[in-house]
Amino acid sequence: MLSQLLRRHTVGRARFKKWEWSVNRGFRTGALGTVSIDALDEIRDHVLQALEHYVSRDGTTSIYRMHSVARDTRVQTWHVLVRHVDGYSTPIALRPATAAVSLVDLMQLQLFPKLSSETRFNVYGLRAIDARQLATGPSRALLPPDIGLIRNADAIILDFTTRPFDPVELSRVCDVAKQIAEQLAKTAQRQTPAR
């Protein structure tokens, strides 16, 4: 018993901290292996594989530490939060302007330079009207400059790859996702015509 406790608080400390965080925040361990996320179906040339996966008890939020494996066997590690929201969206994204790589780079999206900022975010999408809504909406103000946002299908995806995959950052990114989801819900209510 003593050896197990010592291992938990020394060698396995990081894993134990994440397990403790998941229990306290209402998450459980999710499935590992190949990942299929509807909101990332534009990523066709890479296979996504979950290395760590946490799912909220209500099933609305998933957090992944995953690899993308390209056809030329290049491997990239990503830290991603997926939160399901009401309403449907075509693919649109805010890519951190200073990030060397972003999950947005794997998607087949068009850059909208007039909507982009050199210091914060580049705006990507398939349609200019959707990209403009994202660029002028509240999500951009709520997002830290090193976290990318993808809005597609019925989900928002936060790419926090530049941050550590630890309990402090997991809590922060969950809070950011919650705020963005609440703002999207308020915006949708305002746009719904009264009967």
Side-chain angles (χ1 to χ4, degrees), residues 91-95 104-105 109-112 122-126 131:
I92 46 180
L94 295 175
R95 184 196 188 283
V104 176
D105 300 338
L109 301 179
Q110 176 186 349
L111 172 65
F112 291 93
N122 293 322
V123 181
Y124 287 81
L126 294 179

Side-chain angles (χ1 to χ4, degrees), residues 81-95:
L81 179 142
V82 179
R83 183 176 175 121
H84 295 282
V85 293
D86 292 333
Y88 179 83
S89 174
T90 60
I92 46 180
L94 295 175
R95 184 196 188 283

Side-chain angles (χ1 to χ4, degrees), residues 15 18-19 21-23 26-37 48-57 59-67 78-84 160 165 170 174:
R15 186 170 46 189
K18 283 184 260 188
W19 173 82
W21 172 87
S22 68
V23 169
F27 280 76
R28 60 180 166 75
T29 304
L32 302 179
T34 303
V35 176
S36 176
I37 302 171
L48 301 176
Q49 295 180 329
L51 306 172
E52 290 182 68
H53 180 197
Y54 300 98
V55 182
S56 62
R57 287 196 184 112
T60 60
T61 304
S62 293
I63 303 172
Y64 297 91
R65 185 172 69 83
M66 64 175 141
H67 278 160
W78 307 100
H79 302 161
V80 176
L81 179 142
V82 179
R83 183 176 175 121
H84 295 282
F160 62 106
F165 198 82
L170 297 180
C174 282

Side-chain angles (χ1 to χ4, degrees), residues 51-165:
L51 306 172
E52 290 182 68
H53 180 197
Y54 300 98
V55 182
S56 62
R57 287 196 184 112
D58 62 4
T60 60
T61 304
S62 293
I63 303 172
Y64 297 91
R65 185 172 69 83
M66 64 175 141
H67 278 160
S68 64
V69 182
R71 289 185 181 164
D72 60 1
T73 67
R74 278 180 298 132
V75 177
Q76 174 71 42
T77 302
W78 307 100
H79 302 161
V80 176
L81 179 142
V82 179
R83 183 176 175 121
H84 295 282
V85 293
D86 292 333
Y88 179 83
S89 174
T90 60
I92 46 180
L94 295 175
R95 184 196 188 283
T98 59
V101 293
S102 173
L103 197 59
V104 176
D105 300 338
L106 304 184
M107 302 179 76
Q108 310 297 321
L109 301 179
Q110 176 186 349
L111 172 65
F112 291 93
K114 291 184 179 178
L115 299 173
S116 299
S117 161
E118 291 180 14
T119 57
R120 283 188 50 91
F121 297 105
N122 293 322
V123 181
Y124 287 81
L126 294 179
R127 299 180 350 172
I129 191 165
D130 298 327
R132 189 174 295 109
Q133 280 183 331
L134 182 65
T136 59
S139 300
R140 190 176 194 163
L142 292 170
L143 207 59
D146 62 333
I147 294 180
L149 168 69
I150 299 167
R151 174 82 171 95
N152 192 11
D154 63 346
I156 56 171
I157 297 170
L158 298 182
D159 172 11
F160 62 106
T161 301
T162 58
R163 296 185 174 202
F165 198 82

Side-chain angles (χ1 to χ4, degrees), residues 10-11 40 68 117 179:
T10 54
V11 177
L40 291 176
S68 64
S117 161
Q179 289 177 334

